[in-house]
Amino acid sequence: NAGVTQTPKFRILKIGQSMTLQCTQDMNHNYMYWYRQDPGMGLKLIYYSVGAGITDKGEVPNGYNVSRSTTEDFPLRLELAAPSQTSVYFCASSAQTIEYNEQFFGPGTRLTVL
Amino acid sequence: KNEVEQSPQNLTAQEGEFITINCSYSVGISALHWLQQHPGGGIVSLFMLSSGKKKHGRLIATINIQEKHSSLHITASHPRDSAVYICAALNSGGSNYKLTFGKGTLLTVNP
């Protein structure tokens, strides 16, 4: 199994451009998450999904959109990139049971908005 | 104010030393995660625990639910243990799939 994969690894955007960060997992996990990590700060949850067709906002959703049409894929969309969105983005997934909820992280996407 | 606080922020040790990293949280939780982030950026889950103690190799994690405190211990530390260690509280309640993260502890183990 590849686990959680993310593309691209790096990207530079100009202010106002849009892009989609891709995330795919092959573990048949129902739950998927998008986080951003800023220097010196803890990870912040942007959006999450508890299954195909279901998404919800996390702590810092402004400026982002997500969709979950399949169990495997959970893309994150930036519509109008702003310098404040310069960050490292991590996608994660987990199998939700009452007893067990380990998260598996992708390798991250480093995004710079200039 | 972050609901999850880690200490110390930075820790430098000599190879072989016993390491302790602390995590305190103020929210009700159903579980606490310890994660490791290497300089390359990848994040790996080390432990998930809701009570007591877990051990994996040289790593030991403990949690005291009443005191809202968890510790990560590394025995016989090695330079390859150098990484950022992050604790994350899994919020209890109806939606127990949201994690609140600490800012991390940067551990450097010198040979």
Side-chain angles (χ1 to χ4, degrees):
Chain A
N1 289 347
V4 180
T5 57
Q6 292 183 238
T7 56
K9 285 188 170 56
F10 304 93
R11 184 73 185 267
I12 298 175
L13 283 182
K14 293 183 180 177
I15 294 172
Q17 286 185 320
S18 62
M19 77 163 292
T20 299
L21 281 66
Q22 301 291 345
C23 175
T24 300
Q25 53 91 10
D26 62 0
M27 297 173 282
N28 202 32
H29 285 170
N30 284 325
Y31 286 69
M32 295 187 74
Y33 314 80
W34 273 107
Y35 297 97
R36 59 177 288 171
Q37 185 179 41
D38 300 323
M41 304 296 292
L43 286 144
K44 303 281 189 188
L45 180 66
I46 304 171
Y47 271 96
Y48 65 93
S49 169
V50 303
I54 306 169
T55 63
D56 206 348
K57 295 178 181 178
E59 188 178 354
V60 289
N62 291 344
Y64 307 95
N65 279 299
V66 293
S67 60
R68 184 94 183 271
S69 56
T70 66
T71 299
E72 294 79 20
D73 299 307
F74 190 40
L76 178 72
R77 178 89 178 156
L78 282 71
E79 290 293 350
L80 290 170
S84 61
Q85 293 177 305
T86 294
S87 190
V88 181
Y89 292 84
F90 289 96
C91 178
S93 72
S94 66
Q96 173 69 0
T97 69
I98 295 173
E99 295 85 11
Y100 184 74
N101 192 22
E102 179 183 2
Q103 288 202 346
F104 294 83
F105 287 82
T109 294
R110 186 174 297 273
L111 175 67
T112 302
V113 182
L114 300 174
Chain B
K1 181 180 181 297
N2 204 28
E3 295 172 324
V4 175
E5 299 288 342
Q6 288 186 235
S7 63
Q9 281 187 300
N10 294 282
L11 182 56
T12 300
Q14 289 299 121
E15 183 172 357
E17 285 185 2
F18 181 83
I19 304 292
T20 296
I21 298 170
N22 297 298
C23 177
S24 298
Y25 52 91
S26 57
V27 297
I29 70 166
S30 56
L32 187 128
H33 289 238
W34 280 101
L35 309 169
Q36 181 190 55
Q37 185 171 28
H38 273 280
I43 300 174
V44 175
S45 177
L46 296 175
F47 294 103
M48 188 201 69
L49 64 166
S50 54
S51 65
K53 175 179 171 179
K54 285 191 176 179
K55 184 174 188 294
H56 184 254
R58 294 181 294 107
L59 274 64
I60 303 166
T62 63
I63 190 167
N64 185 319
I65 296 291
Q66 287 74 25
E67 294 186 5
K68 292 187 168 60
H69 182 267
S70 177
S71 293
L72 176 68
H73 305 287
I74 305 175
T75 61
S77 59
H78 190 276
R80 65 175 175 264
D81 297 325
S82 297
V84 175
Y85 292 84
I86 302 168
C87 72
L90 185 65
N91 294 336
S92 61
S95 55
N96 66 335
Y97 45 80
K98 295 184 188 178
L99 291 178
T100 304
F101 295 84
K103 294 182 180 180
T105 294
L106 174 60
L107 171 65
T108 304
V109 182
N110 294 317

PDB file of all heavy atoms in Angstrom, chain B residues 55-89:
ATOM      1  N   LYS B  55       4.428   1.160  25.171  1.00  0.00           N
ATOM      2  CA  LYS B  55       5.870   1.079  24.921  1.00  0.00           C
ATOM      3  C   LYS B  55       6.077   0.517  23.533  1.00  0.00           C
ATOM      4  O   LYS B  55       5.423  -0.437  23.109  1.00  0.00           O
ATOM      5  CB  LYS B  55       6.537   0.186  25.963  1.00  0.00           C
ATOM      6  CG  LYS B  55       8.055   0.103  25.878  1.00  0.00           C
ATOM      7  CD  LYS B  55       8.595  -0.701  27.057  1.00  0.00           C
ATOM      8  CE  LYS B  55      10.109  -0.646  27.135  1.00  0.00           C
ATOM      9  NZ  LYS B  55      10.774  -1.314  26.010  1.00  0.00           N
ATOM     10  N   HIS B  56       7.010   1.148  22.814  1.00  0.00           N
ATOM     11  CA  HIS B  56       7.404   0.626  21.511  1.00  0.00           C
ATOM     12  C   HIS B  56       8.887   0.844  21.347  1.00  0.00           C
ATOM     13  O   HIS B  56       9.355   1.966  21.144  1.00  0.00           O
ATOM     14  CB  HIS B  56       6.620   1.340  20.385  1.00  0.00           C
ATOM     15  CG  HIS B  56       6.910   0.767  19.044  1.00  0.00           C
ATOM     16  ND1 HIS B  56       7.695   1.419  18.115  1.00  0.00           N
ATOM     17  CD2 HIS B  56       6.531  -0.393  18.461  1.00  0.00           C
ATOM     18  CE1 HIS B  56       7.784   0.671  17.031  1.00  0.00           C
ATOM     19  NE2 HIS B  56       7.086  -0.419  17.215  1.00  0.00           N
ATOM     20  N   GLY B  57       9.637  -0.247  21.483  1.00  0.00           N
ATOM     21  CA  GLY B  57      11.096  -0.131  21.404  1.00  0.00           C
ATOM     22  C   GLY B  57      11.628   0.725  22.544  1.00  0.00           C
ATOM     23  O   GLY B  57      11.367   0.459  23.714  1.00  0.00           O
ATOM     24  N   ARG B  58      12.346   1.787  22.188  1.00  0.00           N
ATOM     25  CA  ARG B  58      12.922   2.674  23.203  1.00  0.00           C
ATOM     26  C   ARG B  58      11.972   3.813  23.593  1.00  0.00           C
ATOM     27  O   ARG B  58      12.323   4.662  24.411  1.00  0.00           O
ATOM     28  CB  ARG B  58      14.227   3.252  22.669  1.00  0.00           C
ATOM     29  CG  ARG B  58      15.333   2.217  22.457  1.00  0.00           C
ATOM     30  CD  ARG B  58      16.621   2.863  21.936  1.00  0.00           C
ATOM     31  NE  ARG B  58      16.432   3.411  20.600  1.00  0.00           N
ATOM     32  CZ  ARG B  58      16.346   4.706  20.323  1.00  0.00           C
ATOM     33  NH1 ARG B  58      16.416   5.609  21.304  1.00  0.00           N
ATOM     34  NH2 ARG B  58      16.187   5.117  19.081  1.00  0.00           N
ATOM     35  N   LEU B  59      10.811   3.841  23.012  1.00  0.00           N
ATOM     36  CA  LEU B  59       9.850   4.908  23.290  1.00  0.00           C
ATOM     37  C   LEU B  59       8.760   4.421  24.239  1.00  0.00           C
ATOM     38  O   LEU B  59       8.256   3.300  24.087  1.00  0.00           O
ATOM     39  CB  LEU B  59       9.205   5.395  21.989  1.00  0.00           C
ATOM     40  CG  LEU B  59       9.934   6.467  21.190  1.00  0.00           C
ATOM     41  CD1 LEU B  59      11.275   5.983  20.680  1.00  0.00           C
ATOM     42  CD2 LEU B  59       9.083   6.954  20.039  1.00  0.00           C
ATOM     43  N   ILE B  60       8.443   5.292  25.205  1.00  0.00           N
ATOM     44  CA  ILE B  60       7.389   4.996  26.166  1.00  0.00           C
ATOM     45  C   ILE B  60       6.501   6.230  26.268  1.00  0.00           C
ATOM     46  O   ILE B  60       7.001   7.350  26.385  1.00  0.00           O
ATOM     47  CB  ILE B  60       7.972   4.694  27.567  1.00  0.00           C
ATOM     48  CG1 ILE B  60       8.962   3.532  27.499  1.00  0.00           C
ATOM     49  CG2 ILE B  60       6.847   4.389  28.561  1.00  0.00           C
ATOM     50  CD1 ILE B  60       9.820   3.407  28.739  1.00  0.00           C
ATOM     51  N   ALA B  61       5.211   6.018  26.220  1.00  0.00           N
ATOM     52  CA  ALA B  61       4.264   7.119  26.387  1.00  0.00           C
ATOM     53  C   ALA B  61       3.342   6.800  27.551  1.00  0.00           C
ATOM     54  O   ALA B  61       2.890   5.664  27.697  1.00  0.00           O
ATOM     55  CB  ALA B  61       3.455   7.338  25.117  1.00  0.00           C
ATOM     56  N   THR B  62       3.098   7.814  28.372  1.00  0.00           N
ATOM     57  CA  THR B  62       2.195   7.657  29.510  1.00  0.00           C
ATOM     58  C   THR B  62       1.167   8.778  29.485  1.00  0.00           C
ATOM     59  O   THR B  62       1.401   9.846  28.908  1.00  0.00           O
ATOM     60  CB  THR B  62       2.957   7.716  30.843  1.00  0.00           C
ATOM     61  OG1 THR B  62       3.556   9.009  30.983  1.00  0.00           O
ATOM     62  CG2 THR B  62       4.048   6.661  30.900  1.00  0.00           C
ATOM     63  N   ILE B  63       0.040   8.517  30.098  1.00  0.00           N
ATOM     64  CA  ILE B  63      -0.985   9.541  30.200  1.00  0.00           C
ATOM     65  C   ILE B  63      -1.685   9.442  31.548  1.00  0.00           C
ATOM     66  O   ILE B  63      -1.916   8.342  32.047  1.00  0.00           O
ATOM     67  CB  ILE B  63      -2.004   9.435  29.040  1.00  0.00           C
ATOM     68  CG1 ILE B  63      -2.930  10.662  29.029  1.00  0.00           C
ATOM     69  CG2 ILE B  63      -2.790   8.147  29.094  1.00  0.00           C
ATOM     70  CD1 ILE B  63      -3.748  10.790  27.752  1.00  0.00           C
ATOM     71  N   ASN B  64      -1.965  10.615  32.132  1.00  0.00           N
ATOM     72  CA  ASN B  64      -2.732  10.699  33.375  1.00  0.00           C
ATOM     73  C   ASN B  64      -3.963  11.550  33.080  1.00  0.00           C
ATOM     74  O   ASN B  64      -3.871  12.772  32.966  1.00  0.00           O
ATOM     75  CB  ASN B  64      -1.892  11.326  34.487  1.00  0.00           C
ATOM     76  CG  ASN B  64      -2.614  11.324  35.820  1.00  0.00           C
ATOM     77  OD1 ASN B  64      -3.809  11.596  35.899  1.00  0.00           O
ATOM     78  ND2 ASN B  64      -1.892  11.001  36.880  1.00  0.00           N
ATOM     79  N   ILE B  65      -5.084  10.888  32.892  1.00  0.00           N
ATOM     80  CA  ILE B  65      -6.298  11.575  32.464  1.00  0.00           C
ATOM     81  C   ILE B  65      -6.753  12.592  33.522  1.00  0.00           C
ATOM     82  O   ILE B  65      -7.170  13.705  33.194  1.00  0.00           O
ATOM     83  CB  ILE B  65      -7.420  10.562  32.181  1.00  0.00           C
ATOM     84  CG1 ILE B  65      -7.045   9.661  31.011  1.00  0.00           C
ATOM     85  CG2 ILE B  65      -8.738  11.277  31.926  1.00  0.00           C
ATOM     86  CD1 ILE B  65      -7.000  10.366  29.676  1.00  0.00           C
ATOM     87  N   GLN B  66      -6.648  12.206  34.795  1.00  0.00           N
ATOM     88  CA  GLN B  66      -7.107  13.102  35.857  1.00  0.00           C
ATOM     89  C   GLN B  66      -6.295  14.386  35.881  1.00  0.00           C
ATOM     90  O   GLN B  66      -6.829  15.474  36.098  1.00  0.00           O
ATOM     91  CB  GLN B  66      -7.020  12.410  37.225  1.00  0.00           C
ATOM     92  CG  GLN B  66      -8.076  11.346  37.466  1.00  0.00           C
ATOM     93  CD  GLN B  66      -7.797  10.075  36.689  1.00  0.00           C
ATOM     94  OE1 GLN B  66      -6.645   9.787  36.350  1.00  0.00           O
ATOM     95  NE2 GLN B  66      -8.834   9.329  36.389  1.00  0.00           N
ATOM     96  N   GLU B  67      -4.983  14.268  35.663  1.00  0.00           N
ATOM     97  CA  GLU B  67      -4.113  15.449  35.704  1.00  0.00           C
ATOM     98  C   GLU B  67      -4.001  16.119  34.341  1.00  0.00           C
ATOM     99  O   GLU B  67      -3.309  17.124  34.204  1.00  0.00           O
ATOM    100  CB  GLU B  67      -2.733  15.052  36.227  1.00  0.00           C
ATOM    101  CG  GLU B  67      -2.735  14.595  37.676  1.00  0.00           C
ATOM    102  CD  GLU B  67      -1.344  14.335  38.215  1.00  0.00           C
ATOM    103  OE1 GLU B  67      -0.353  14.596  37.483  1.00  0.00           O
ATOM    104  OE2 GLU B  67      -1.246  13.868  39.358  1.00  0.00           O
ATOM    105  N   LYS B  68      -4.619  15.552  33.321  1.00  0.00           N
ATOM    106  CA  LYS B  68      -4.572  16.096  31.964  1.00  0.00           C
ATOM    107  C   LYS B  68      -3.114  16.294  31.519  1.00  0.00           C
ATOM    108  O   LYS B  68      -2.698  17.377  31.080  1.00  0.00           O
ATOM    109  CB  LYS B  68      -5.347  17.413  31.859  1.00  0.00           C
ATOM    110  CG  LYS B  68      -6.852  17.265  32.013  1.00  0.00           C
ATOM    111  CD  LYS B  68      -7.548  18.580  31.734  1.00  0.00           C
ATOM    112  CE  LYS B  68      -9.041  18.425  31.583  1.00  0.00           C
ATOM    113  NZ  LYS B  68      -9.718  17.889  32.747  1.00  0.00           N
ATOM    114  N   HIS B  69      -2.361  15.233  31.597  1.00  0.00           N
ATOM    115  CA  HIS B  69      -0.931  15.310  31.316  1.00  0.00           C
ATOM    116  C   HIS B  69      -0.449  14.006  30.685  1.00  0.00           C
ATOM    117  O   HIS B  69      -0.885  12.916  31.059  1.00  0.00           O
ATOM    118  CB  HIS B  69      -0.173  15.564  32.615  1.00  0.00           C
ATOM    119  CG  HIS B  69       1.300  15.701  32.423  1.00  0.00           C
ATOM    120  ND1 HIS B  69       2.169  14.628  32.534  1.00  0.00           N
ATOM    121  CD2 HIS B  69       2.065  16.766  32.095  1.00  0.00           C
ATOM    122  CE1 HIS B  69       3.392  15.039  32.291  1.00  0.00           C
ATOM    123  NE2 HIS B  69       3.363  16.333  32.028  1.00  0.00           N
ATOM    124  N   SER B  70       0.436  14.166  29.712  1.00  0.00           N
ATOM    125  CA  SER B  70       1.052  13.004  29.079  1.00  0.00           C
ATOM    126  C   SER B  70       2.546  13.257  28.933  1.00  0.00           C
ATOM    127  O   SER B  70       2.983  14.406  28.833  1.00  0.00           O
ATOM    128  CB  SER B  70       0.424  12.753  27.700  1.00  0.00           C
ATOM    129  OG  SER B  70       1.070  11.677  27.042  1.00  0.00           O
ATOM    130  N   SER B  71       3.314  12.188  28.952  1.00  0.00           N
ATOM    131  CA  SER B  71       4.749  12.292  28.747  1.00  0.00           C
ATOM    132  C   SER B  71       5.202  11.287  27.705  1.00  0.00           C
ATOM    133  O   SER B  71       4.642  10.188  27.596  1.00  0.00           O
ATOM    134  CB  SER B  71       5.519  12.023  30.048  1.00  0.00           C
ATOM    135  OG  SER B  71       5.284  13.033  30.993  1.00  0.00           O
ATOM    136  N   LEU B  72       6.216  11.696  26.954  1.00  0.00           N
ATOM    137  CA  LEU B  72       6.885  10.807  26.012  1.00  0.00           C
ATOM    138  C   LEU B  72       8.323  10.664  26.492  1.00  0.00           C
ATOM    139  O   LEU B  72       9.019  11.661  26.701  1.00  0.00           O
ATOM    140  CB  LEU B  72       6.856  11.382  24.599  1.00  0.00           C
ATOM    141  CG  LEU B  72       7.600  10.580  23.538  1.00  0.00           C
ATOM    142  CD1 LEU B  72       6.889   9.256  23.283  1.00  0.00           C
ATOM    143  CD2 LEU B  72       7.716  11.371  22.233  1.00  0.00           C
ATOM    144  N   HIS B  73       8.750   9.427  26.694  1.00  0.00           N
ATOM    145  CA  HIS B  73      10.103   9.159  27.150  1.00  0.00           C
ATOM    146  C   HIS B  73      10.862   8.422  26.052  1.00  0.00           C
ATOM    147  O   HIS B  73      10.286   7.565  25.359  1.00  0.00           O
ATOM    148  CB  HIS B  73      10.095   8.275  28.395  1.00  0.00           C
ATOM    149  CG  HIS B  73       9.274   8.824  29.521  1.00  0.00           C
ATOM    150  ND1 HIS B  73       9.666   9.900  30.285  1.00  0.00           N
ATOM    151  CD2 HIS B  73       8.057   8.435  29.998  1.00  0.00           C
ATOM    152  CE1 HIS B  73       8.746  10.155  31.192  1.00  0.00           C
ATOM    153  NE2 HIS B  73       7.759   9.288  31.056  1.00  0.00           N
ATOM    154  N   ILE B  74      12.126   8.764  25.912  1.00  0.00           N
ATOM    155  CA  ILE B  74      13.014   8.035  25.002  1.00  0.00           C
ATOM    156  C   ILE B  74      14.188   7.542  25.831  1.00  0.00           C
ATOM    157  O   ILE B  74      14.904   8.344  26.454  1.00  0.00           O
ATOM    158  CB  ILE B  74      13.518   8.925  23.855  1.00  0.00           C
ATOM    159  CG1 ILE B  74      12.346   9.559  23.106  1.00  0.00           C
ATOM    160  CG2 ILE B  74      14.396   8.114  22.896  1.00  0.00           C
ATOM    161  CD1 ILE B  74      12.776  10.556  22.031  1.00  0.00           C
ATOM    162  N   THR B  75      14.363   6.251  25.857  1.00  0.00           N
ATOM    163  CA  THR B  75      15.503   5.688  26.585  1.00  0.00           C
ATOM    164  C   THR B  75      16.674   5.497  25.624  1.00  0.00           C
ATOM    165  O   THR B  75      16.473   5.286  24.421  1.00  0.00           O
ATOM    166  CB  THR B  75      15.134   4.332  27.215  1.00  0.00           C
ATOM    167  OG1 THR B  75      14.781   3.417  26.156  1.00  0.00           O
ATOM    168  CG2 THR B  75      13.939   4.475  28.143  1.00  0.00           C
ATOM    169  N   ALA B  76      17.881   5.628  26.161  1.00  0.00           N
ATOM    170  CA  ALA B  76      19.104   5.433  25.367  1.00  0.00           C
ATOM    171  C   ALA B  76      19.014   6.205  24.051  1.00  0.00           C
ATOM    172  O   ALA B  76      19.097   5.623  22.955  1.00  0.00           O
ATOM    173  CB  ALA B  76      19.333   3.948  25.109  1.00  0.00           C
ATOM    174  N   SER B  77      18.847   7.512  24.156  1.00  0.00           N
ATOM    175  CA  SER B  77      18.618   8.331  22.968  1.00  0.00           C
ATOM    176  C   SER B  77      19.766   8.215  21.973  1.00  0.00           C
ATOM    177  O   SER B  77      20.929   7.966  22.322  1.00  0.00           O
ATOM    178  CB  SER B  77      18.412   9.787  23.369  1.00  0.00           C
ATOM    179  OG  SER B  77      19.545  10.272  24.060  1.00  0.00           O
ATOM    180  N   HIS B  78      19.410   8.424  20.710  1.00  0.00           N
ATOM    181  CA  HIS B  78      20.345   8.267  19.597  1.00  0.00           C
ATOM    182  C   HIS B  78      20.169   9.455  18.667  1.00  0.00           C
ATOM    183  O   HIS B  78      19.066  10.016  18.582  1.00  0.00           O
ATOM    184  CB  HIS B  78      20.030   6.946  18.872  1.00  0.00           C
ATOM    185  CG  HIS B  78      21.061   6.554  17.871  1.00  0.00           C
ATOM    186  ND1 HIS B  78      21.059   7.039  16.579  1.00  0.00           N
ATOM    187  CD2 HIS B  78      22.129   5.723  17.972  1.00  0.00           C
ATOM    188  CE1 HIS B  78      22.088   6.524  15.927  1.00  0.00           C
ATOM    189  NE2 HIS B  78      22.739   5.729  16.742  1.00  0.00           N
ATOM    190  N   PRO B  79      21.231   9.851  17.957  1.00  0.00           N
ATOM    191  CA  PRO B  79      21.088  10.986  17.027  1.00  0.00           C
ATOM    192  C   PRO B  79      19.922  10.840  16.046  1.00  0.00           C
ATOM    193  O   PRO B  79      19.313  11.829  15.649  1.00  0.00           O
ATOM    194  CB  PRO B  79      22.441  11.020  16.307  1.00  0.00           C
ATOM    195  CG  PRO B  79      23.404  10.540  17.346  1.00  0.00           C
ATOM    196  CD  PRO B  79      22.652   9.471  18.101  1.00  0.00           C
ATOM    197  N   ARG B  80      19.593   9.622  15.684  1.00  0.00           N
ATOM    198  CA  ARG B  80      18.470   9.452  14.744  1.00  0.00           C
ATOM    199  C   ARG B  80      17.117   9.763  15.384  1.00  0.00           C
ATOM    200  O   ARG B  80      16.109   9.850  14.685  1.00  0.00           O
ATOM    201  CB  ARG B  80      18.446   8.037  14.173  1.00  0.00           C
ATOM    202  CG  ARG B  80      18.186   6.948  15.186  1.00  0.00           C
ATOM    203  CD  ARG B  80      18.049   5.584  14.508  1.00  0.00           C
ATOM    204  NE  ARG B  80      17.907   4.519  15.500  1.00  0.00           N
ATOM    205  CZ  ARG B  80      18.917   3.794  15.935  1.00  0.00           C
ATOM    206  NH1 ARG B  80      20.156   4.023  15.488  1.00  0.00           N
ATOM    207  NH2 ARG B  80      18.730   2.839  16.829  1.00  0.00           N
ATOM    208  N   ASP B  81      17.100   9.956  16.705  1.00  0.00           N
ATOM    209  CA  ASP B  81      15.868  10.375  17.376  1.00  0.00           C
ATOM    210  C   ASP B  81      15.625  11.874  17.212  1.00  0.00           C
ATOM    211  O   ASP B  81      14.560  12.382  17.601  1.00  0.00           O
ATOM    212  CB  ASP B  81      15.911  10.050  18.876  1.00  0.00           C
ATOM    213  CG  ASP B  81      16.000   8.558  19.154  1.00  0.00           C
ATOM    214  OD1 ASP B  81      15.399   7.777  18.383  1.00  0.00           O
ATOM    215  OD2 ASP B  81      16.686   8.180  20.121  1.00  0.00           O
ATOM    216  N   SER B  82      16.602  12.586  16.671  1.00  0.00           N
ATOM    217  CA  SER B  82      16.463  14.033  16.485  1.00  0.00           C
ATOM    218  C   SER B  82      15.296  14.308  15.544  1.00  0.00           C
ATOM    219  O   SER B  82      15.269  13.839  14.405  1.00  0.00           O
ATOM    220  CB  SER B  82      17.753  14.615  15.904  1.00  0.00           C
ATOM    221  OG  SER B  82      18.829  14.450  16.798  1.00  0.00           O
ATOM    222  N   ALA B  83      14.335  15.060  16.056  1.00  0.00           N
ATOM    223  CA  ALA B  83      13.106  15.321  15.313  1.00  0.00           C
ATOM    224  C   ALA B  83      12.255  16.276  16.141  1.00  0.00           C
ATOM    225  O   ALA B  83      12.620  16.642  17.261  1.00  0.00           O
ATOM    226  CB  ALA B  83      12.334  14.013  15.062  1.00  0.00           C
ATOM    227  N   VAL B  84      11.140  16.672  15.578  1.00  0.00           N
ATOM    228  CA  VAL B  84      10.138  17.418  16.347  1.00  0.00           C
ATOM    229  C   VAL B  84       9.086  16.413  16.819  1.00  0.00           C
ATOM    230  O   VAL B  84       8.572  15.615  16.015  1.00  0.00           O
ATOM    231  CB  VAL B  84       9.470  18.516  15.507  1.00  0.00           C
ATOM    232  CG1 VAL B  84       8.354  19.196  16.298  1.00  0.00           C
ATOM    233  CG2 VAL B  84      10.505  19.540  15.068  1.00  0.00           C
ATOM    234  N   TYR B  85       8.791  16.452  18.091  1.00  0.00           N
ATOM    235  CA  TYR B  85       7.787  15.555  18.669  1.00  0.00           C
ATOM    236  C   TYR B  85       6.555  16.383  19.012  1.00  0.00           C
ATOM    237  O   TYR B  85       6.645  17.415  19.684  1.00  0.00           O
ATOM    238  CB  TYR B  85       8.343  14.831  19.889  1.00  0.00           C
ATOM    239  CG  TYR B  85       9.418  13.861  19.500  1.00  0.00           C
ATOM    240  CD1 TYR B  85      10.740  14.280  19.334  1.00  0.00           C
ATOM    241  CD2 TYR B  85       9.110  12.523  19.223  1.00  0.00           C
ATOM    242  CE1 TYR B  85      11.731  13.399  18.925  1.00  0.00           C
ATOM    243  CE2 TYR B  85      10.095  11.642  18.820  1.00  0.00           C
ATOM    244  CZ  TYR B  85      11.400  12.086  18.670  1.00  0.00           C
ATOM    245  OH  TYR B  85      12.372  11.211  18.254  1.00  0.00           O
ATOM    246  N   ILE B  86       5.430  15.922  18.533  1.00  0.00           N
ATOM    247  CA  ILE B  86       4.189  16.681  18.636  1.00  0.00           C
ATOM    248  C   ILE B  86       3.157  15.860  19.381  1.00  0.00           C
ATOM    249  O   ILE B  86       2.974  14.669  19.089  1.00  0.00           O
ATOM    250  CB  ILE B  86       3.641  17.009  17.223  1.00  0.00           C
ATOM    251  CG1 ILE B  86       4.670  17.805  16.423  1.00  0.00           C
ATOM    252  CG2 ILE B  86       2.320  17.767  17.320  1.00  0.00           C
ATOM    253  CD1 ILE B  86       4.321  17.915  14.928  1.00  0.00           C
ATOM    254  N   CYS B  87       2.512  16.493  20.358  1.00  0.00           N
ATOM    255  CA  CYS B  87       1.377  15.806  20.964  1.00  0.00           C
ATOM    256  C   CYS B  87       0.090  16.439  20.447  1.00  0.00           C
ATOM    257  O   CYS B  87       0.063  17.620  20.078  1.00  0.00           O
ATOM    258  CB  CYS B  87       1.420  15.822  22.482  1.00  0.00           C
ATOM    259  SG  CYS B  87       1.070  17.386  23.266  1.00  0.00           S
ATOM    260  N   ALA B  88      -0.936  15.647  20.364  1.00  0.00           N
ATOM    261  CA  ALA B  88      -2.206  16.110  19.825  1.00  0.00           C
ATOM    262  C   ALA B  88      -3.337  15.466  20.612  1.00  0.00           C
ATOM    263  O   ALA B  88      -3.349  14.252  20.813  1.00  0.00           O
ATOM    264  CB  ALA B  88      -2.316  15.756  18.348  1.00  0.00           C
ATOM    265  N   ALA B  89      -4.262  16.312  21.064  1.00  0.00           N
ATOM    266  CA  ALA B  89      -5.381  15.831  21.864  1.00  0.00           C
ATOM    267  C   ALA B  89      -6.576  15.572  20.979  1.00  0.00           C
ATOM    268  O   ALA B  89      -6.985  16.433  20.197  1.00  0.00           O
ATOM    269  CB  ALA B  89      -5.727  16.860  22.938  1.00  0.00           C
TER     270      ALA B  89
END
